[in-house]
Amino acid sequence: MLTIHHLASSQSERIVWLCEELGLPYDLIRYERDPATRSAPPAYKALHPFGTSPAITDGDLVLGESSAIVDYLLARHGEGRLSLAVDDTHFADYLYWLHFANGSFIPSVMMNFALQMLGVADTDTTRMLRGRNALALRMSETRLAAVPYFAGDRFTAADIMMVAPLKGSRDLSGYPYIRAYVERMAERPAYRRAMQKAEPGSAERLD
Ligand SMILES: N[C@@H](CCC(=O)N[C@@H](CS)C(=O)NCC(=O)O)C(=O)O
């Protein structure tokens, strides 16, 4: 049986969302963060050597890393749903946004956050690093002005991967297409079910 180990307010929300979209049965175990450090608790760290969320268990398998988990679940249970076939016109777009989310976008969100927390003085390097996050948002805005979903005209796992960094970017005031998109994603029945299970009491929130 598939078990999703969900750390409160973390990227494991997207694995719950994926399973709801696919109609996959799963058990959900929820873990609270350490209130002082915001780290995962020792029980979560004990699951996988890297100790980050998301992590799933499936029989004897323990698997971490969002993108690996998404690929694993789609390969095993997707039956072609939520991904694009290699001969689809938008196949490369699908791959790009699926991997851009965690490969470049989330690191840029985290870098911005770290620079802010550390109060680092402005230099060419910090401007370059901050610029990456701004560029990721501008690119996403341009994409969503042109097509309804990141891979084109169909909802795919690329959307499930992209919502986390968009939400994590916080200030979306200058990005009307992203805002409308995030609101549209949050209205999906599977998203609402996922949030009710993963984050009970906050199903309406987008931040
Ligand atoms: N690239 C990793 C990032 C994992 C990650 O940094 N997860 C955060 C939550 S969003 C985490 O586990 N934080 C708590 C900790 O490191 O103790 C993935 O997508 O799985």
Side-chain angles (χ1 to χ4, degrees):
M1 178 71 172
L2 171 68
T3 301
I4 305 173
H5 298 269
H6 172 56
L7 177 67
S9 298
S10 80
Q11 295 181 58
S12 44
E13 287 173 10
R14 55 161 64 124
I15 306 303
V16 188
W17 182 15
L18 174 67
C19 288
E20 289 292 336
E21 293 282 356
L22 291 172
L24 271 188
Y26 62 92
D27 286 332
L28 181 75
I29 304 180
R30 196 171 186 281
Y31 302 70
E32 294 300 334
R33 290 177 185 255
D34 180 301
T37 64
R38 305 293 296 152
S39 286
Y44 205 98
K45 297 281 177 204
L47 290 167
H48 186 282
F50 204 55
T52 53
S53 158
I56 60 164
T57 45
D58 192 10
D60 290 338
L61 173 76
V62 182
L63 187 62
E65 205 61 45
S66 303
S67 318
I69 295 170
V70 167
D71 273 350
Y72 172 84
L73 292 175
L74 288 179
R76 291 208 82 146
H77 307 285
E79 295 166 354
R81 294 169 295 163
L82 304 187
S83 60
L84 297 186
V86 69
D87 58 352
D88 192 291
T89 328
H90 296 294
F91 178 63
D93 292 323
Y94 165 71
L95 287 183
Y96 179 77
W97 294 102
L98 181 76
H99 292 284
F100 176 71
N102 270 34
S104 294
F105 199 169
I106 287 200
S108 80
V109 173
M110 290 179 75
M111 187 58 72
N112 252 7
F113 182 68
L115 292 173
Q116 200 178 322
M117 293 301 287
L118 296 169
V120 181
D122 241 10
T123 63
D124 286 348
T125 309
T126 62
R127 273 190 290 277
M128 181 272 283
L129 292 170
R130 284 202 173 91
R132 280 199 173 188
N133 186 236
L135 187 54
L137 283 166
R138 281 203 304 277
M139 256 173 54
S140 302
E141 179 75 358
T142 303
R143 180 72 180 155
L144 293 172
V147 287
Y149 301 104
F150 277 98
D153 52 7
R154 276 173 52 196
F155 175 80
T156 66
D159 298 294
I160 293 177
M161 289 298 290
M162 280 295 291
V163 164
L166 292 174
K167 281 169 50 177
S169 295
R170 305 260 162 211
D171 183 10
L172 296 178
S173 47
Y175 304 97
Y177 284 97
I178 296 178
R179 278 180 61 88
Y181 166 83
V182 171
E183 280 165 18
R184 201 153 38 87
M185 292 301 105
E187 281 162 12
R188 291 181 70 84
Y191 181 93
R192 296 178 78 87
R193 284 196 303 278
M195 291 302 287
Q196 273 154 13
K197 290 176 188 173
E199 300 295 331
S202 57
E204 306 304 321
R205 87 182 158 78
L206 283 177
D207 61 350

